[in-house]
Amino acid sequence: MAEESQKWVLMVTAQTPTNIAVIKYWGKRDENLILAINDSISVTLDPAHLCTTTTVAVSPAFNQDRMWLNGKEISLSGGRYQNCLREIRARANDVEDEKRGIKIVKKDWENLHVHIASYNNFPTAAGLASSAAGFACLVYSLAKLMNVQEDNGKLSAIARQGSGSACRSLYGGFVKWVMGKEENGSDSVAVQLVDEKHWDELVIIIAVVSSRQMKQVAPQMLETVETSALIDTGKGSSTKRISYEEAIQNRDFPTFAQLTCADSNQFHAVCMDTSPPIFYMNDTSHRVIGCVEKWNRSEGTPQVAYTSDAGPNAVLIARNRKAATLMLQRLLFHFPPNSDTDLNSYVIGDKSILKDAGIQDIKDVEALPPPPEIKDKVPAQKYKGEISYFICTRPGRGPVLLTDDSHALLNPETGLPK
């Protein structure tokens, strides 16, 4: 290291998307290494709408590893953070910034401390896979800072040790987490099935039923593995996964929708079969699903697939833009915002879908006619205020470096949060 100055700070900033599991991961065969008992598949979401931005910095002036999440300092003492830091440091290489006269050799990394600042552009721990994006971004940014020469597949095995789902955020498009068979987890990695351009007509609407912090799911996952009689059969067979991958490759939406909905339903059945039973979905979640099912049946072929993770939020995947527009109209009809709500904060992400739906303000929402599939004489029910907000997005790319200093979350002179 350059001895003439102990004040230099070397920084890297990266952005990593979150992902939504469409074939669920639930249950581990190794708690410490986070090795799953089944393969899982996810779709990566557009980072413009759901992502984590992380800045990592190193300096000889730092006397300990420190981290800030959404502006608040958090402890790095937990095993998951320590596992990721240890694995990345073990793979670090020489780093040199000739212009600034900075040189770090491989062995220096053992004694250097890092500062980490991370920011989510969506609610943390609200069932929107913030830990997946967070640990993926942590590992990816540290790997770039320390000049780790591993591909994203190898990095995914490190991110997995922070949060299982994080391994799938190292790629865009549709991603498979291969459960692996090795005891050390070396073959438990993420692989990209297709990139985000392969099926780019898909549109994703997330109905955020609650943005409150969720309970830790790890203990509940363990209870399921120990007590559920459905855990082996409820996740489906390898044949189903093969069919699912084929549906993605062939852009076969009816098969994709049928298997996505079935897997979500089976996941929640397994949770309810746990002792004590786990209830993630609530009445609003069920009403959203009912709305989708009713429309799909009236059309004779699926227009929208639904899936729900360990929380009440409903993720709806529409086959194309037109289906997404019609779905949003139905959702706004059944779940209108409170009268004093700003529509711009009720539908976020890709707001152009509102224009497609012919909606400019709350009056347009109030004027929406009942969906044509509602044919009975009983007035259609509305559930005002039951949805916190909607996020409209699409399949997105994997992690990237942000070279513009304006994105950095740490001060380049002090290495402390801006």
Side-chain angles (χ1 to χ4, degrees):
M1 286 181 290
E3 297 297 333
E4 62 271 14
S5 170
Q6 292 295 294
K7 293 184 177 178
W8 57 261
V9 177
L10 203 60
M11 293 195 326
V12 162
T13 300
Q15 186 186 75
T16 302
T18 190
N19 71 78
I20 294 291
V22 284
I23 296 288
K24 307 298 182 195
Y25 141 62
W26 195 250
K28 296 188 278 280
R29 61 185 173 93
D30 187 302
E31 288 287 328
N32 184 47
L33 292 173
I34 310 186
L35 302 177
I37 61 171
N38 61 278
D39 295 343
S40 57
I41 296 173
S42 64
V43 58
T44 301
L45 304 181
D46 188 342
H49 308 135
L50 291 132
C51 75
T52 296
T53 300
T54 300
T55 298
V56 292
V58 63
S59 172
F62 299 164
N63 56 19
Q64 63 176 325
D65 294 334
R66 298 177 72 186
M67 180 171 181
W68 295 263
L69 175 61
N70 294 334
K72 193 174 178 182
E73 186 160 12
I74 64 169
S75 170
L76 282 171
S77 61
R80 294 185 173 197
Y81 286 109
Q82 290 302 313
N83 286 349
C84 292
L85 284 164
R86 184 188 66 250
E87 294 290 336
I88 289 291
R89 278 191 170 112
R91 292 163 174 77
N93 289 295
D94 296 357
V95 172
E96 186 169 11
D97 185 333
E98 290 183 7
K99 194 182 288 185
R100 297 174 63 196
I102 300 169
K103 185 168 183 182
I104 306 171
V105 297
K106 186 177 170 69
K107 63 181 178 60
D108 290 334
W109 288 108
E110 296 172 19
N111 303 311
L112 284 167
H113 293 287
V114 293
H115 284 185
I116 303 156
S118 200
Y119 172 77
N120 297 323
N121 68 349
F122 58 96
T124 300
L128 294 171
S130 60
S131 65
F135 275 104
C137 206
L138 174 74
V139 168
Y140 184 82
S141 55
L142 284 172
K144 296 301 180 186
L145 178 72
M146 299 185 188
N147 192 25
V148 173
Q149 300 295 308
E150 304 273 18
D151 63 19
N152 283 9
K154 295 278 180 64
L155 292 180
S156 76
I158 300 173
R160 185 203 74 230
Q161 295 177 55
S163 168
S165 303
C167 69
R168 298 188 308 247
S169 276
L170 267 298
Y171 293 103
F174 282 90
V175 184
K176 180 180 180 179
W177 173 11
V178 181
M179 61 178 280
K181 295 179 181 176
E182 298 295 333
E183 284 188 21
N184 66 1
S186 58
D187 59 346
S188 182
V189 297
V191 294
Q192 187 180 55
L193 297 177
V194 296
D195 68 18
E196 65 276 15
K197 293 173 185 167
H198 173 79
W199 207 352
D200 61 357
E201 61 262 42
L202 296 177
V203 178
I204 299 161
I205 300 173
I206 303 171
V208 180
V209 178
S210 171
S211 56
R212 288 176 300 164
Q213 186 142 339
M214 299 291 297
K215 292 178 183 175
Q216 290 292 317
V217 300
Q220 297 172 320
M221 202 182 283
L222 183 61
E223 287 171 349
T224 298
V225 173
E226 290 176 347
T227 65
S228 173
L230 298 179
I231 187 66
D232 290 326
T233 57
K235 290 305 302 173
S237 65
S238 59
T239 307
K240 181 176 82 169
R241 282 185 174 71
I242 292 166
S243 300
Y244 198 85
E245 289 178 45
E246 286 177 352
I248 292 169
Q249 292 288 351
N250 299 330
R251 297 190 289 271
D252 172 1
F253 191 81
T255 302
F256 169 83
Q258 187 265 317
L259 292 174
T260 297
C261 298
D263 188 82
S264 179
N265 295 338
Q266 288 160 4
F267 161 62
H268 289 282
V270 163
C271 289
M272 288 174 66
D273 187 52
T274 299
S275 180
I278 307 164
F279 303 100
Y280 286 125
M281 295 167 69
N282 59 21
D283 287 348
T284 306
S285 318
H286 293 137
R287 286 175 188 133
V288 172
I289 287 173
C291 182
V292 174
E293 286 282 8
K294 197 164 194 175
W295 184 36
N296 280 344
R297 282 198 303 274
S298 75
E299 291 289 333
T301 187
Q303 304 300 306
V304 175
Y306 59 80
T307 188
S308 185
D309 281 342
N313 303 326
V315 179
L316 311 179
I317 306 173
R319 66 186 307 154
N320 53 34
R321 184 87 178 180
K322 181 182 177 185
T325 302
L326 293 171
M327 187 73 245
L328 185 62
Q329 287 175 334
R330 284 163 168 79
L331 291 169
L332 290 173
F333 173 83
H334 287 292
F335 305 96
N338 290 318
S339 302
D340 58 350
T341 303
D342 176 9
L343 197 59
N344 275 323
S345 64
Y346 194 63
V347 179
I348 64 175
D350 180 7
K351 294 180 187 292
S352 64
I353 198 167
L354 276 173
K355 186 178 178 184
D356 292 355
I359 295 167
Q360 294 182 314
D361 52 36
I362 295 292
K363 289 178 183 174
D364 294 328
V365 174
E366 292 168 351
L368 283 168
E373 62 268 20
I374 300 175
K375 291 172 183 160
D376 40 33
K377 293 177 182 176
V378 180
Q381 283 189 287
K382 295 194 175 194
Y383 306 95
K384 183 178 275 195
E386 286 198 5
I387 301 285
S388 297
Y389 55 95
F390 294 101
I391 304 171
C392 297
T393 186
R394 63 182 76 84
R397 58 160 171 75
V400 294
L401 280 177
L402 301 177
T403 53
D404 185 339
D405 291 343
S406 67
H407 294 293
L409 303 174
L410 295 172
N411 185 305
E413 294 179 6
T414 64
L416 295 171
K418 284 184 175 177

